[in-house]
Amino acid sequence: MGAFVVLIIVGVSVVYVDANYSQVNRKSSSTSGCDLFQGRWVYDPSYPHYYNSTDCPFIEKIFDCQKNGRPDNHYLNYRWNPSACQLPRLNGAKFLRRFRGKRIMFVGDSLSLNQWQSLTCMLHKALPMANYTLLRTAAVSTFRFPAYDVSLMLSRNAFLVDIVREKAGRVLNLNSISSGNLWKGFDVLIFDTWHWWLHTGRKQPWDFVRYGRHTYKDMNRMEAYEKALITWARWVEANVDPTKTRVFFQGVSPDHMNTSEWGKRNGENCGAETVPAVREKYNGGPHPAEVVLKKVLRRMSLKAVYLLKITGLSQLRKDGHPGGYGYAGHRGMDCTHWCLPGVPDTWNDLLYAALFQK
């Protein structure tokens, strides 16, 4: 019998190889003591995909590059190859058995949606006969496997801190997190924020910034980002029991709007890119938001947040964005989100390795 579906809508350098994957990667399968985030992207057509877009009827149109007409598919054949060990592939059956009766929540912006949808696709494809339910409300989406009593939830929260409506307008309050009650009691939390911090004009969803007793028309965005992360870190320290809840930060997902970052003089963005960047030619340097994020995490008294350091490996994947094949090319060039299947599947391999690391 097929899967029963309920959908309720409410509201590093590149290496080219020919050999079979099992023959190529003979490094240690143990990830203990290995930096999974240092390595290279390897082109390997024999490496099996987790899923195709047709396997996941719930993929958002913005991520479904193949269905939207993207003509090339080489970007699907790159796997992340750590320098000192083998990155384990996510085992869907093992994942669901381990988290039977558990709840996992992603909290963040549309890049959290990107990773959450990737994970739900990976698990659904691994157990296509397992029933699932998908409930979507205005701010929270829940993907559940009833037979395992496993829930994977997404809370859309672009800034983590509050935006409050007042008479003067919308205020981004860098000191408060009123939505934190929603995050309590989960077994795994994966946070993310960055993408919306640089928006201005009509894309900016607030009118003022408040910090302490002072309200400003604007503020240095990197400074505001750091203050918000400090507020979030304090919330984690005050509300999370690390013996009961695993806490992750997704890291900073880079965009690819500036071709000079990967040594290309002619070009405007990611639109024509079909292969990863070569690390030796990548000129972008450390992402400033990641630098701030690492600083905040280092200062936390509770050393219980695992940083998924996806920034460096994702900076090389200028080829992995929807480009003009996000909304079927009708809404401009998307060099921020990622095609599915694609790079977020690797993020979930890294999350899986961290969750199952001994």
Side-chain angles (χ1 to χ4, degrees):
M1 180 181 294
F4 173 70
V5 181
V6 177
L7 174 60
I8 308 173
I9 301 179
V10 184
V12 299
S13 59
V14 183
V15 177
Y16 293 88
V17 296
D18 304 308
N20 187 285
Y21 168 72
S22 62
Q23 296 175 330
V24 172
N25 205 334
R26 295 178 178 174
K27 291 175 290 190
S28 171
S29 60
S30 173
T31 59
S32 179
C34 170
D35 187 348
L36 292 171
F37 305 99
Q38 290 296 320
R40 62 182 65 188
W41 288 100
V42 175
Y43 182 74
D44 186 356
S46 71
Y47 192 66
H49 302 160
Y50 281 106
Y51 58 93
N52 295 313
S53 62
T54 54
D55 297 322
C56 296
F58 42 83
I59 289 183
E60 298 279 340
K61 188 174 181 63
I62 186 176
F63 308 139
D64 201 348
C65 302
Q66 291 295 306
K67 187 175 181 179
N68 290 338
R70 180 167 173 169
D72 64 302
N73 59 15
H74 288 301
Y75 70 95
L76 297 172
N77 295 319
Y78 287 92
R79 59 177 173 83
W80 179 246
N81 195 39
S83 300
C85 59
Q86 180 175 327
L87 178 62
R89 282 175 62 85
L90 186 145
N91 182 315
K94 183 178 179 181
F95 185 101
L96 292 175
R97 287 195 301 267
R98 169 71 69 88
F99 289 97
R100 185 184 295 274
K102 306 293 185 182
R103 297 192 306 156
I104 298 169
M105 175 173 273
F106 290 81
V107 184
D109 54 29
S110 54
L111 278 309
S112 284
L113 170 63
N114 225 168
Q115 186 176 6
W116 174 77
Q117 284 220 314
S118 162
L119 182 57
T120 57
C121 282
M122 294 165 86
L123 295 174
H124 171 58
K125 177 61 175 178
L127 293 96
M129 304 304 290
N131 295 339
Y132 71 85
T133 61
L134 176 56
L135 171 64
R136 289 174 174 161
T137 64
V140 178
S141 299
T142 303
F143 194 103
R144 186 169 177 268
F145 291 92
Y148 294 87
D149 191 21
V150 174
S151 295
L152 297 102
M153 301 175 68
L154 170 72
S155 174
R156 294 292 292 269
N157 190 319
F159 296 93
L160 300 184
V161 294
D162 295 335
I163 296 178
V164 295
R165 291 187 176 273
E166 300 182 357
K167 288 184 178 180
R170 302 162 299 175
V171 180
L172 177 64
N173 192 337
L174 302 178
N175 294 110
S176 71
I177 297 180
S178 61
S179 56
N181 286 332
L182 177 65
W183 311 339
K184 294 179 180 179
F186 282 84
D187 299 283
V188 180
L189 291 168
I190 305 104
F191 291 96
D192 154 60
T193 181
W194 167 244
H195 175 54
W196 281 84
W197 285 91
L198 297 182
H199 283 339
T200 59
R202 288 183 295 177
K203 289 187 176 182
Q204 177 181 299
W206 48 266
D207 305 302
F208 302 94
V209 183
R210 177 171 297 146
Y211 181 66
R213 297 180 179 180
H214 301 283
T215 301
Y216 308 90
K217 183 62 179 174
D218 206 343
M219 179 185 290
N220 177 281
R221 300 306 176 86
M222 203 61 68
E223 181 181 347
Y225 178 64
E226 181 174 359
K227 293 181 185 302
L229 286 177
I230 291 172
T231 299
W232 164 83
R234 289 172 178 166
W235 182 93
V236 171
E237 291 172 333
N239 293 280
V240 171
D241 181 349
T243 66
K244 297 179 179 179
T245 302
R246 298 283 301 275
V247 182
F248 295 84
F249 206 101
Q250 184 195 63
V252 175
S253 175
D255 60 31
H256 289 90
M257 297 300 297
N258 184 358
T259 59
S260 66
E261 291 182 350
W262 55 90
K264 188 175 181 179
R265 295 182 179 180
N266 299 320
E268 297 180 354
N269 48 49
C270 71
E273 303 300 325
T274 58
V275 297
V278 177
R279 184 179 296 279
E280 289 75 11
K281 294 183 179 180
Y282 187 81
N283 303 320
H287 197 294
E290 186 189 33
V291 174
V292 169
L293 172 59
K294 287 181 176 179
K295 181 171 73 170
V296 172
L297 293 180
R298 283 196 303 268
R299 291 178 176 177
M300 291 182 67
S301 59
L302 181 64
K303 306 299 182 183
V305 178
Y306 185 103
L307 176 60
L308 288 171
K309 293 180 284 188
I310 63 167
T311 308
L313 62 92
S314 302
Q315 281 177 321
L316 302 179
R317 293 306 306 272
K318 58 186 175 64
D319 60 317
H321 299 286
Y325 300 96
Y327 289 100
H330 297 316
R331 298 193 184 182
M333 189 63 56
D334 185 354
C335 296
T336 298
H337 300 100
W338 303 89
C339 295
L340 292 181
V343 173
D345 302 334
T346 297
W347 300 351
N348 283 318
D349 278 337
L350 293 163
L351 174 64
Y352 175 81
L355 286 168
F356 284 77
Q357 198 170 37
K358 295 182 180 178

